[in-house]
Amino acid sequence: MTELTVSRLLASVTESAPQAIDALAKKYLAAGRPVIAFGAGEPDFDTPSFITDAVKRAVDDPANHHYSGPSGLPKLREAVAAYTSEYTGTPFTADTVSIANGGKQAIYNALSAILDPGDEVLLPAPYWTSYPEQVKLAGGVTVPVATTFEADYRTTVDALEAARTDRTKVLIFTSPSNPTGSVYDEDEIRAIGEWVTEHGIWVLSDEIYHDFVYDDARFVSISRFVPREQLIIVNGLAKSHVLTGWRLGWVLAPVPIANAIKNFQSHTTGNVSNLSQQAAVAALTDGADFPARMREVFDRRRSIAFDILSSVKGFRVPRPRGAFYLFPEVSSVLDGRLNLDGVPVTTSLALSKLLLEEIDVAVVPGEAFGADGYLRFSYALDDAALVEGLTRIRDFMDARL
């Protein structure tokens, strides 16, 4: 009898490392351990009450009790088009908008709509952990484009051109970046946009962190420098309005791509929860000022986290200008001086395990982002926990190195 097994495709897909670290930290917390977790890419705020109140009212509206279209509620698509037009400075219309069950599904829908088997996707590294897995699921091939600590993890046209082949179909572009917190300057974005335009390559711009920039950084959408027929934008309200658990994201794409996504979603998830869509309508209608209040808090925590991490032995820490992450380079402490259960620590994965087991601090190893020798820290946690967790690391390294 033939053994029944998981498909080769899904067997090749790995679990999301940040979510796995977060789940393990919560398990340890439930067991009574004083774990401080820097893993989750999620604001530590509650969904604001003006959104939850709007959803409570929507529960009693029978219109929300039934199927709606796979592209999203018309009023939400209109709101997303207006919102995107305002923050990018590029005009969009509702017929280019497709609502999805979170930013992850938005990216997967977009990639599925444009990739054929074997198409190559350029992906500056370090990268968000789900990009290469989604490329694989959509039939494509990820081509990492390495960046450096010295360049603040930003790629260049020369590096992209060196990676381009006749199978290059898409560039995934993210600024501000998860995991590094880096932000591209306008001239850099213009140059990359002109390069994409010249070579007829799609650009998929993930703009989920566009509200979170600091110091002299300014968000600039690559949509200003790329023809509409080569442009896809993915975004959502998970970070800006704390809708992480509500699962609401979207794609803006040329109408033929938007229609293909509609057909795809009609056979997979159908419509997004109408209540989540109503939450998004409330966020876009009444929540323009909310992200700035979080940004002020995150900016303060960014400085606190940067100052403490910069004092840790063996850590090199760039000052991030966006998102809510720090991405220190830690390769100098992976020389075997540290050990876990008698085994020398020589990778950032092993270091993250050591920190969790020895001092109850959970961080995400760089391997999850295509970058061994690094760790990702989210500073989306309260000030006391932030200081306590980072101080534990500093004291631990002082004692061991």
Side-chain angles (χ1 to χ4, degrees):
M1 179 178 176
T2 302
E3 182 182 4
L4 301 179
T5 61
V6 175
S7 73
R8 287 189 295 273
L9 176 59
L10 289 196
S12 71
V13 175
T14 59
E15 182 181 12
S16 165
Q19 291 189 350
I21 292 290
D22 189 53
L24 185 59
K26 288 175 179 175
K27 177 182 176 181
Y28 283 3
L29 275 169
R33 291 177 57 170
V35 173
I36 295 176
F38 293 90
E42 176 177 26
D44 62 312
F45 296 80
D46 294 329
T47 304
S49 59
F50 71 87
I51 295 177
T52 57
D53 288 344
V55 175
K56 290 172 186 175
R57 294 190 296 270
V59 168
D60 293 325
D61 183 351
N64 294 312
H65 301 173
H66 304 282
Y67 291 131
S68 57
S71 291
L73 296 174
K75 67 178 178 179
L76 177 55
R77 296 171 72 199
E78 291 282 357
V80 167
Y83 170 75
T84 309
S85 300
E86 180 177 359
Y87 84 75
T88 63
T90 304
F92 292 93
T93 53
D95 58 350
T96 66
V97 177
S98 298
I99 306 301
N101 292 279
K104 285 187 178 182
Q105 190 191 27
I107 296 166
Y108 179 61
N109 285 353
L111 291 171
S112 296
I114 60 176
L115 289 179
D116 289 313
D119 284 345
E120 293 179 352
V121 178
L122 300 184
L123 183 57
Y127 45 71
W128 178 51
T129 183
S130 290
Y131 289 141
E133 302 296 339
Q134 293 201 357
V135 168
K136 183 194 304 180
L137 287 169
V141 177
T142 297
V143 179
V145 181
T147 62
T148 65
F149 174 96
E150 289 73 19
D152 193 28
Y153 310 113
R154 302 197 299 260
T155 194
T156 65
V157 167
D158 287 345
L160 293 172
E161 177 62 22
R164 184 176 65 88
T165 73
D166 58 3
R167 296 200 66 93
T168 301
K169 186 76 164 286
V170 188
L171 166 67
I172 295 179
F173 183 75
T174 310
S175 175
S177 164
N178 174 7
T180 66
S182 61
V183 180
Y184 286 77
D185 296 328
E186 182 173 346
D187 288 346
E188 295 170 320
I189 295 173
R190 179 186 292 106
I192 292 171
E194 291 173 350
W195 176 83
V196 166
T197 302
E198 176 186 356
H199 296 290
I201 297 169
W202 284 102
V203 60
L204 191 159
S205 180
D206 186 343
E207 301 182 352
I208 195 73
Y209 292 100
H210 79 270
D211 279 303
F212 300 108
V213 291
Y214 316 104
D215 295 336
D216 61 344
R218 183 170 67 92
F219 171 77
V220 177
S221 175
I222 201 170
S223 65
R224 292 173 47 190
F225 310 112
V226 177
R228 201 66 52 82
E229 60 270 19
Q230 292 174 235
L231 173 70
I232 294 174
I233 292 176
V234 294
N235 205 337
L237 301 167
K239 317 300 182 182
S240 62
H241 291 79
V242 202
L243 292 186
T244 45
W246 299 76
R247 308 316 303 142
L248 193 291
W250 58 73
V251 181
L252 291 100
V255 171
I257 303 302
N259 287 338
I261 291 172
K262 175 188 69 176
N263 294 340
F264 180 59
Q265 188 153 302
S266 74
H267 292 292
T268 52
T269 59
N271 67 275
V272 174
S273 164
N274 293 325
L275 297 180
S276 293
Q277 293 192 71
Q278 296 294 355
V281 170
L284 294 176
T285 302
D286 300 320
D289 297 333
F290 183 76
R293 299 204 294 271
M294 283 200 296
R295 183 169 61 245
E296 182 179 354
V297 174
F298 287 151
D299 192 12
R300 184 186 71 249
R301 294 174 179 171
R302 178 180 66 107
S303 294
I304 293 170
F306 175 79
D307 288 345
I308 298 175
L309 274 180
S310 295
S311 69
V312 177
K313 284 185 179 179
F315 282 31
R316 289 202 303 163
V317 190
R319 188 176 183 90
R321 298 194 301 159
F324 39 76
Y325 308 104
L326 291 98
F327 201 68
E329 192 267 325
V330 298
S331 59
S332 69
V333 306
L334 305 178
D335 56 3
R337 285 178 291 168
L338 300 172
N339 70 84
L340 176 61
D341 297 329
V343 178
V345 170
T346 58
T347 67
S348 49
L349 176 61
L351 179 58
S352 69
K353 291 179 179 178
L354 177 69
L355 295 175
L356 182 57
E357 296 302 332
E358 294 286 334
I359 58 172
D360 289 315
V361 174
V363 300
V364 186
E367 286 92 337
F369 311 104
D372 183 20
Y374 296 81
L375 298 174
R376 191 193 76 171
F377 291 79
S378 168
Y379 48 87
L381 67 166
D382 71 76
D383 290 23
L386 180 74
V387 172
E388 169 64 20
L390 297 179
T391 302
R392 285 185 199 174
I393 293 175
R394 183 177 62 193
D395 293 347
F396 178 79
M397 292 297 179
D398 280 345
R400 293 291 190 94
L401 297 177

